[in-house]
Structure formats: structure tokens, C-alpha cells
Amino acid sequence: MAKKQQNSKQEIANFLGEMISFRNALKLTHWSITGKGSYEAHISLDQAIDSLIDITDRLVETTFSLEGTLDIVIPATSKPSNYIQYIEGFYKQVESKREDLFKENFSQSIIDDAQEAVQQLLFRLKRLE
């Protein structure tokens, strides 16, 4: 396998691991959020997590069908100190990598679904502030 293709496969595997880590960070936030609007935030976070579980699974399976099995490693995950900023940063990270890593329209469409879920979450959480 050519070196460039190996690097690309590893970058894709890293990206998929980061998506799973992001979901886990949202769950850590869900468990620790308190105060005014916390119930609504819990519901919003759970909805986003549920959507992202399905979306990530679709993207991983589609990618495996195209690239073969990848060695996905999930980075260490901690609860973000500023969850709004963390979510916005993840959105930007996905946007910056999507076209470089995923050339097929159908893979990018799955990523669109992830970005939509993240934007809906941001809308809901910011309305509670």
C-alpha cells in the first residue's frame, strides 16, 4: 500500500476515533450539568448523543466498506470545562477535515447529518443560557 494511502487511512481512523470521543465528552457533560435549564440541557444532550451514535456507526461501516478495516483508537476523553466552546470547536474540526478525508458524496452526506445534529444541539444549549 502506498505511504500516502496509509496516512490517509490512519487520518480517517483518527477522525472516527475523535467522533466517538466527542460523543463520550457529551455524555460526561450530560451527567455533570446542573442548575437552571439543566433538565432541558440533559434532554438536548441525550438527543444529540443518540443521533451521533447512529451517524457515527453509519460513517464507520461505510468507510470500512470502502477502505477496509481501520485501526480506530478512541482518544482519552474528559469533560470539557466550557462545553459550548468545545462543541463549536468540534464542529469546526469536522468542517476542516470532511472533504480532505471523505471524497464520496454519500460519506459527506453522513457527515452533514453529524454537523446538523451538532448545530441543533448548539441552538438548544445556547437558548438555555
Side-chain angles (χ1 to χ4, degrees):
M1 181 180 305
K3 180 109 173 127
K4 183 172 173 87
Q5 188 178 3
Q6 272 183 324
N7 288 342
S8 178
K9 284 182 77 164
Q10 189 56 54
E11 289 171 356
I12 293 169
N14 292 345
F15 177 84
L16 296 171
E18 290 165 4
M19 285 190 73
I20 296 166
S21 179
F22 174 72
R23 282 190 347 231
N24 293 343
L26 292 181
K27 196 61 175 181
L28 292 172
T29 299
H30 165 86
W31 287 326
S32 65
I33 203 162
T34 60
K36 183 180 176 191
S38 63
Y39 177 75
E40 292 85 356
H42 281 267
I43 298 300
S44 297
L45 286 159
D46 267 345
Q47 288 173 340
I49 292 162
D50 288 345
S51 292
L52 290 169
I53 287 170
D54 175 59
I55 291 164
T56 305
D57 192 55
R58 287 172 39 217
L59 186 59
V60 169
E61 289 176 354
T62 301
T63 303
F64 276 30
S65 74
L66 295 168
E67 302 287 342
T69 302
L70 301 173
D71 185 23
I72 298 172
V73 176
I74 302 167
T77 306
S78 58
K79 180 180 69 78
S81 57
N82 181 328
Y83 58 89
I84 297 287
Q85 197 171 46
Y86 175 75
I87 295 166
E88 289 173 335
F90 179 77
Y91 180 88
K92 290 176 186 172
Q93 177 184 353
V94 169
E95 185 63 28
S96 72
K97 293 182 179 181
R98 60 178 285 147
E99 290 180 14
D100 291 338
L101 298 178
F102 301 93
K103 304 299 182 198
E104 314 77 35
N105 289 337
F106 54 86
S107 295
Q108 289 182 13
S109 177
I110 297 169
I111 294 169
D112 287 344
D113 292 345
Q115 289 183 295
E116 177 185 24
V118 169
Q119 282 301 319
Q120 288 175 351
L121 175 61
L122 283 169
F123 168 76
R124 291 176 183 131
L125 293 176
K126 287 179 176 181
R127 303 260 314 182
L128 293 173
E129 292 185 329

